[in-house]
Amino acid sequence: MIQLQHVSKVFDGNHLAVDDVSFSVKEGEIFGLIGTSGCGKTTTMKMINRLIDPTSGSIFVDDQQVKAQKPESLRQKIGYVIQDVGLFPHYTVAENIATVPTLKGWNKKRIESRCEDLLELVGLNADEFAHRKPEALSGGQQQRVGLARALAADPPIILMDEPFGALDPITKREVQIEVQNIFSEINKTVLLVTHDVVEAFAMCDRLCLLDAGKVQQIGTPQELLFSPANDFVDSFFASDRFQLELLSVNLSEILDIEPNSKLYWSPPLEGEQEDEIGREQSLYSIIEEMEERAHDNTVIIHRVDGQTVDSLSFSNLLSKFRQYSNTLKAGGANG
Ligand SMILES: Nc1ncnc2c1ncn2[C@@H]1O[C@H](COP(=O)(O)OP(=O)(O)OP(=O)(O)O)[C@@H](O)[C@H]1O
């Protein structure tokens, strides 16, 4: 879907900001570009929608070189979400969302109904918000409108540059979860630039870690964490290591689960029926969920298999996780 081949960018004649970068982002994937400040993330992203032209190398979107595509038509298939959102201050929320559909010549009725659907998708009530100006929105609400605007004409690709950077940690987590749910419902190819490794691990299928414009490693979060290509990659994750390990390991990896068996939480949350657990949930989200449910740290997860009920305690789960992560560190699980 997106492919970079030996892409470099030199600024001011001698500043090599992006140095021979190659990667491809597959259809439907959330791909993260991470690295320290100034390592070339934003420059790399802006070369994809032609806000910046590369000095050398080739970039393909949909198997076509971007330099052979008109910037306007290229940008119609690429939604773009940036940190300061960039909403037009004199336009209402609805008018902001309508920008690309209007350029594409959609009729008024179609635009109105798209706008309502999108506001609902990002968790904002259309009656309440459609006619407000951006100044009458909180930062989190502006971010949601920015996302709705990027999704308006249903582009297959979304580029996001520090989209949650302006949010406080609690709102950030809420908006991240919503955005993840949105992307899992609608098939989008997403490139996310972030300096926040926890965000990258929570949201991305694969990551590319850059340093001084050069690719250090490309792989799944688990591969970068447990099989680092060099010392830079290893030390880059050191300060958040435990949280990242929990984020990069799924429940199904550490439990010996039969293909058709289902897992349930116990006790259920107050007022809820027995609630199934997603086997692809990360250990981190399982533990977050446990904290919400567990009163006495006893039986948390149980398996219903005919007459048999198997159960796991919080500490049992953690010790299985430690065993598994030690195997990964020793290079045992993924080879
Ligand atoms: N238009 C420009 N002219 C000259 N130098 C630039 C220009 N844009 C970026 N740079 C330089 O290129 C390098 C990479 O910048 P870039 O914005 O891509 O980094 P980044 O990884 O996105 O950083 P951050 O996380 O701080 O946003 C930096 O050294 C920056 O100063």
Side-chain angles (χ1 to χ4, degrees):
M1 198 84 188
I2 303 172
Q3 205 182 4
L4 276 74
Q5 290 178 354
H6 303 290
V7 171
S8 295
K9 177 68 190 177
V10 179
F11 285 114
D12 305 327
N14 63 0
H15 178 50
L16 185 56
V18 175
D19 185 359
D20 194 23
V21 165
S22 300
F23 61 78
S24 48
V25 184
K26 299 177 215 156
E27 193 178 334
E29 173 172 59
I30 304 185
F31 187 90
L33 270 183
I34 55 174
T36 46
S37 179
C39 69
K41 304 181 291 294
T42 297
T43 306
T44 303
M45 177 173 272
K46 284 182 171 173
M47 289 191 283
I48 296 168
N49 61 358
R50 294 203 60 189
L51 288 171
I52 295 177
D53 283 327
T55 308
S56 59
S58 307
I59 300 177
F60 297 84
V61 165
D62 280 346
D63 296 325
Q64 253 193 309
Q65 286 238 32
V66 294
K67 69 177 182 197
Q69 305 183 44
K70 284 202 182 113
E72 303 72 41
S73 51
L74 180 70
R75 285 175 207 153
Q76 287 191 2
K77 47 184 173 185
I78 303 181
Y80 188 42
V81 187
I82 51 176
Q83 171 164 346
D84 62 9
V85 193
L87 296 177
F88 303 118
H90 305 300
Y91 283 9
T92 64
V93 164
E95 287 163 348
N96 266 285
I97 295 174
T99 316
V100 178
T102 306
L103 280 174
K104 288 188 138 185
W106 291 18
N107 69 39
K108 206 171 154 222
K109 211 166 157 201
R110 185 173 172 206
I111 294 178
E112 268 174 23
S113 108
R114 180 70 180 151
C115 177
E116 269 177 35
D117 290 350
L118 282 166
L119 283 174
E120 190 184 324
L121 187 72
V122 298
L124 295 174
N125 180 295
D127 291 338
E128 195 180 338
F129 289 98
H131 302 291
R132 289 198 197 178
K133 294 272 174 64
E135 64 185 6
L137 302 175
S138 74
Q141 289 160 347
Q142 289 186 21
Q143 300 269 359
R144 286 164 211 245
V145 175
L147 180 68
R149 188 177 61 174
L151 293 170
D154 202 17
I157 297 172
I158 307 280
L159 305 181
M160 305 179 97
D161 193 348
E162 302 281 4
F164 316 109
L167 303 179
D168 65 86
I170 293 171
T171 316
K172 188 174 184 170
R173 186 82 192 112
E174 278 171 15
V175 180
Q176 277 172 358
I177 290 170
E178 249 166 67
V179 168
Q180 261 179 305
N181 290 340
I182 291 170
F183 288 146
S184 66
E185 274 168 34
I186 48 177
N187 191 41
K188 294 283 173 214
T189 304
V190 181
L191 185 68
L192 170 70
V193 161
T194 178
H195 68 276
D196 178 344
V197 287
V198 170
E199 175 175 304
F201 269 60
M203 298 195 65
C204 297
D205 301 306
R206 286 191 309 138
L207 300 171
C208 170
L209 173 59
L210 295 173
D211 182 43
K214 268 191 188 320
V215 173
Q216 300 301 308
Q217 189 168 359
I218 296 171
T220 61
Q222 199 175 89
E223 283 164 353
L224 268 66
L225 196 59
F226 291 101
S227 313
N230 55 42
D231 289 346
F232 176 84
V233 179
D234 199 23
S235 60
F236 190 75
F237 300 117
S239 57
D240 300 295
R241 176 122 208 146
F242 184 59
Q243 190 176 0
L244 297 179
E245 286 187 4
L246 291 173
L247 278 165
S248 73
V249 172
N250 290 337
L251 188 63
S252 61
E253 292 175 90
I254 66 155
L255 294 187
D256 184 20
I257 312 169
E258 304 83 22
N260 296 321
S261 64
K262 289 186 174 175
L263 298 171
Y264 298 91
W265 290 109
S266 183
L269 282 177
E270 218 176 291
E272 283 187 17
Q273 296 290 324
E274 277 227 308
D275 192 6
E276 200 179 324
I277 300 169
R279 278 174 283 165
E280 298 315 313
Q281 266 180 275
S282 73
L283 265 281
Y284 187 79
S285 66
I286 296 283
I287 286 171
E288 272 186 333
E289 193 64 53
M290 279 178 162
E291 279 169 356
E292 209 173 326
R293 288 166 195 268
H295 305 298
D296 51 7
N297 267 358
T298 53
V299 180
I300 308 295
I301 296 171
H302 66 120
R303 181 158 48 148
V304 182
D305 178 14
Q307 300 297 311
T308 328
V309 176
D310 194 5
S311 49
L312 262 181
S313 69
F314 185 84
S315 56
N316 190 348
L317 189 69
L318 268 188
S319 82
K320 276 179 187 276
F321 163 71
R322 290 218 164 86
Q323 262 175 18
Y324 184 75
S325 73
N326 286 336
T327 325
L328 287 177
K329 275 175 209 154
N334 288 343

